[in-house]
Amino acid sequence: MAEEKSIAIIIWVNDKEAGIKQREYLRALHIPDGYSAEMVEVTDALFRTEAYEKGRSQTDAKYKVYLDTKAVIINENILEDIIGIFNEDNTIGVLGLIGTEKIPTHGVCTWANKRIGKAIDYQGKKFEKGNFEADYREVMAVDGFWMATQYDLPWRTDLFHTDVYWDTAQCTEYRNAGYKVVVPKQDDYWCIADWNEQKKYDKASQEIFLDTYSKDIFPLVSVIIPTYNRPEYFKEALESALAQTYRNIEIFITDNSHNTKTKELMVQYLEKYSNIIYEHHPDFESMDNWNRARQYNNPKALYVNWLMDDDLFVPEKIEKMVDCYEQNDGIALVTSYRELIGAHGESFDNPEWKPAFNQTTRADGEAMGREIFVLGQNFVGEPTTVLIKKEYLHNNDLGFSGEEGKYFISDFPTWLACLQHGDLFYIREPLSLFRMHEGQSQRTPRSMLIGAICWGLEIEYAYKNKLYLHTLEDFEKALISWMKTVIFVFVTVREKQYESDSIDVLKALLSRLVIMK
């Protein structure tokens, strides 16, 4: 039974000299009226979680402060401040002095962008971030050099034997149990500690942490793969999605193959992976399959990334792109450079295939939307390239105007819709592989006609609604870039002797846009 008016300060004494100094500092602390306090020293532990678990089991105190041996409390009234915050809100489980609002996808909070709190180190360097309108702010995790609790949860001694990830894991345990993790408002510094110390990168502990907690702390990402009659390429694409270092992924596959080769291939994957949803629609035509892919919407997923069945993800793609969104405010679209590969996976260079930026860049969304139109180029990338934040989709669907109809193209209209809501984040390193091969539908006269019509419709919609194309000059620049493409399409159609009603649609659209003002 917990002693309601008792406080225990638990220290893992792995440095005798530091332990002696701690006793001196702790004797100076003011004990709140009506409360008792004790110091619990653990000297026979091999690692921190073992020490804290032993200390926890040695005391019946309701309130516990877990203190790093080298951290020094300099606020004499800290115990009173702790009790005051805990009494203010009985849903608070953990209190810490520096906290992380969004845990990075690699799990190391000291490297996160969104950190708040207040502390000073032994050299006098100060950490002071975040505005506090109330007595505390809620975070996802706090740094472990100083942690206070008002409820008991066991420490995960089964997971970590090194001094990394254990504090973030414990905060996640409390949050999973329904308790808040918070950082207090400090008028003056409460503690001196090595808050700026970079934690050692421990790959084994990272794998344990991410395997255990990814689904608790990171948003769900839907990967959508439409496929048709090419199981060899599809298998490579699926394997690249399954190889992602980001753990919280579901994979939705809609297959309109007119044979059962892909369906037979899927048997082994469905037996092994519970996060795959597979549908076979042999009666679907191409547009039916696209529409099924567009209709899929798991409300639990915050992000979606399409994966064309002949393209590939780099293993770190989703991890790095989610981190861009989560660690930076105001980002509407995250993309990257993509490498070209051939039919057999071989890399090759194309002088026209250049990165949009020479380094990782954050760019204004409005300006990027205008550039897409004025240059007549989709430099953001193909569907495989971009991680989409679902809340920025047009009516929760791909596309820009909602009027594309049968002339729908999945990529650049979607980017235009998203870029209305914020900035573009461009990662210079290649995070996806775009396959060039003879079987691509983009090279057919039909696809070229659809693409040209879609571009024209988007130009018309943007200028009429003053989205990106705010001036007549910008409209004319976009029109000139588009007309160059239209001429090339007409030449190709004539050379191929291709007949389609879409030719007349493109001609009518061209006439309409030329006289628009």
Side-chain angles (χ1 to χ4, degrees):
M1 188 72 176
E3 296 181 11
E4 295 292 321
K5 297 286 188 176
S6 182
I7 307 166
I9 300 174
I10 300 171
I11 304 175
W12 176 31
V13 184
N14 56 347
D15 184 318
K16 290 185 178 180
E17 184 176 343
I20 294 171
K21 290 182 178 180
Q22 280 287 13
R23 295 188 199 101
E24 296 175 1
Y25 285 113
L26 295 177
R27 288 192 190 101
L29 296 183
H30 173 69
I31 300 173
D33 292 341
Y35 285 80
S36 63
E38 63 177 321
M39 180 176 173
V40 179
E41 295 182 347
V42 179
T43 59
D44 58 342
L46 297 177
F47 45 90
R48 189 179 299 271
T49 53
E50 179 189 7
Y52 285 171
E53 179 60 22
K54 284 186 175 182
R56 185 185 73 86
S57 64
Q58 290 174 23
T59 177
D60 292 325
K62 175 181 179 179
Y63 304 102
K64 297 177 178 65
V65 177
Y66 297 92
L67 185 64
D68 186 89
T69 312
K70 296 180 181 179
V72 175
I73 295 174
I74 55 177
N75 173 14
E76 293 182 356
N77 297 313
I78 195 169
L79 300 181
E80 196 169 62
D81 291 333
I82 293 169
I83 298 300
I85 290 175
F86 283 144
N87 287 342
E88 184 177 337
D89 188 345
N90 61 12
T91 67
I92 296 175
V94 178
L95 189 66
L97 301 187
I98 295 179
T100 303
E101 293 182 300
K102 293 282 188 177
I103 297 172
T105 52
H106 50 61
V108 183
C109 288
T110 52
W111 300 338
N113 289 347
K114 296 184 175 182
R115 285 167 60 72
I116 62 171
K118 193 170 181 177
I120 186 170
D121 70 10
Y122 299 108
Q123 288 73 46
K125 186 175 181 180
K126 299 175 180 178
F127 179 97
E128 189 168 351
K129 293 183 179 180
N131 297 319
F132 287 77
E133 296 180 0
D135 291 336
Y136 58 85
R137 280 178 56 178
E138 191 169 355
V139 293
M140 292 185 71
V142 296
D143 289 10
F145 64 83
W146 186 97
M147 299 173 71
T149 66
Q150 71 168 326
Y151 302 106
D152 259 353
L153 290 181
W155 290 82
R156 294 300 301 269
T157 57
D158 57 321
L159 293 181
F160 306 108
H161 297 171
T162 57
D163 203 29
V164 64
Y165 295 108
W166 57 271
D167 44 4
T168 309
Q170 190 68 358
C171 290
T172 306
E173 293 285 340
Y174 271 87
R175 291 176 67 245
N176 287 347
Y179 298 115
K180 294 177 184 175
V181 178
V182 306
V183 171
K185 178 181 179 180
Q186 302 174 59
D187 294 326
D188 296 314
Y189 293 97
W190 288 12
C191 192
I192 300 174
D194 287 328
W195 56 264
N196 198 38
E197 183 179 4
Q198 293 292 311
K199 294 185 177 181
K200 295 179 181 178
Y201 187 81
D202 181 345
K203 184 65 176 177
S205 294
Q206 183 193 46
E207 293 295 315
I208 292 170
F209 175 80
L210 294 177
D211 285 343
T212 305
Y213 296 110
S214 282
K215 291 183 179 180
D216 298 320
I217 60 179
F218 300 131
L220 178 65
V221 176
S222 293
V223 174
I224 298 178
I225 311 177
T227 186
Y228 173 72
N229 276 7
R230 42 190 182 198
E232 295 82 9
Y233 283 160
F234 164 75
K235 181 179 180 181
E236 291 184 39
L238 176 58
E239 290 283 357
S240 76
L242 291 169
Q244 290 300 294
T245 55
Y246 189 82
R247 269 70 164 177
N248 200 13
I249 288 178
E250 64 163 2
I251 302 172
F252 175 77
I253 302 160
T254 178
D255 169 26
N256 69 319
S257 298
H258 294 169
N259 57 51
T260 60
K261 290 183 179 179
T262 302
K263 183 178 181 179
E264 293 165 3
L265 172 68
M266 284 304 303
V267 172
Q268 58 180 308
Y269 291 101
L270 293 173
E271 290 176 350
K272 185 176 180 181
Y273 298 98
S274 60
N275 62 331
I276 297 178
I277 303 167
Y278 171 76
E279 297 179 359
H280 185 211
H281 303 284
D283 56 329
F284 275 9
E285 295 302 324
S286 176
M287 188 55 68
D288 298 323
N289 207 42
W290 272 103
N291 288 336
R292 177 64 191 120
R294 290 170 66 183
Q295 290 166 3
Y296 180 76
N297 176 32
N298 184 342
K300 296 180 180 179
L302 297 186
Y303 300 99
V304 60
N305 204 134
W306 284 47
L307 173 56
M308 300 299 96
D309 66 350
D310 50 352
D311 294 338
L312 301 172
F313 285 166
V314 170
E316 298 80 17
K317 172 183 164 59
I318 301 297
E319 174 188 327
K320 291 187 175 182
M321 289 191 167
V322 168
D323 216 38
C324 288
Y325 276 117
E326 296 291 295
Q327 295 295 316
N328 299 279
D329 294 327
I331 301 298
L333 211 58
V334 176
T335 188
S336 75
Y337 180 59
R338 65 271 196 214
E339 285 188 353
L340 285 176
I341 58 173
H344 305 291
E346 70 278 12
S347 298
F348 66 89
D349 293 324
N350 183 333
E352 297 181 0
W353 198 264
K354 298 178 181 179
F357 299 92
N358 291 324
Q359 59 187 5
T360 295
T361 300
R362 177 173 179 162
D364 178 75
E366 171 73 21
M368 291 300 98
R370 176 188 175 277
E371 288 293 293
I372 289 173
F373 278 123
V374 169
L375 298 177
Q377 295 178 8
N378 173 21
F379 53 80
V380 175
E382 297 71 36
T384 297
T385 318
V386 180
L387 181 68
I388 304 168
K389 197 168 189 176
K390 287 170 55 180
E391 68 177 278
Y392 297 146
L393 291 177
H394 180 81
N395 294 330
N396 200 42
D397 190 14
L398 302 182
F400 177 41
S401 68
E403 300 173 0
E404 294 88 359
K406 67 178 182 179
Y407 302 108
F408 167 77
I409 290 180
S410 58
D411 47 32
F412 80 91
T414 305
W415 315 154
L416 292 170
C418 293
L419 288 171
Q420 296 175 78
H421 301 281
D423 292 345
L424 171 74
F425 200 104
Y426 180 86
I427 301 172
R428 176 58 182 85
E429 72 177 290
L431 294 180
S432 59
L433 307 176
F434 181 76
R435 194 188 300 268
M436 302 282 285
H437 59 96
E438 291 300 322
Q440 285 177 305
S441 61
Q442 296 98 313
R443 301 185 177 195
T444 65
R446 176 182 177 276
S447 294
M448 293 173 67
L449 278 167
I450 290 174
I453 293 170
C454 186
W455 270 101
L457 290 173
E458 306 300 23
I459 292 171
E460 181 179 44
Y461 178 83
Y463 186 54
K464 282 183 176 180
N465 293 278
K466 293 297 181 277
L467 299 171
Y468 304 118
L469 301 177
H470 298 284
T471 66
L472 179 60
E473 181 182 3
D474 283 345
F475 169 70
E476 290 175 342
K477 288 179 179 179
L479 189 59
I480 290 170
S481 294
W482 176 65
M483 288 173 66
K484 293 176 182 178
T485 299
V486 170
I487 292 170
F488 177 77
V489 171
F490 280 146
V491 170
T492 302
V493 165
R494 186 176 294 111
E495 289 178 348
K496 299 286 187 180
Q497 297 183 339
Y498 180 76
E499 299 292 336
S500 171
D501 293 341
S502 296
I503 298 173
D504 293 331
V505 173
L506 182 57
K507 288 179 179 179
L509 180 59
L510 177 60
S511 299
R512 190 164 75 239
L513 291 182
V514 167
I515 63 173
M516 251 182 84
K517 292 183 180 179

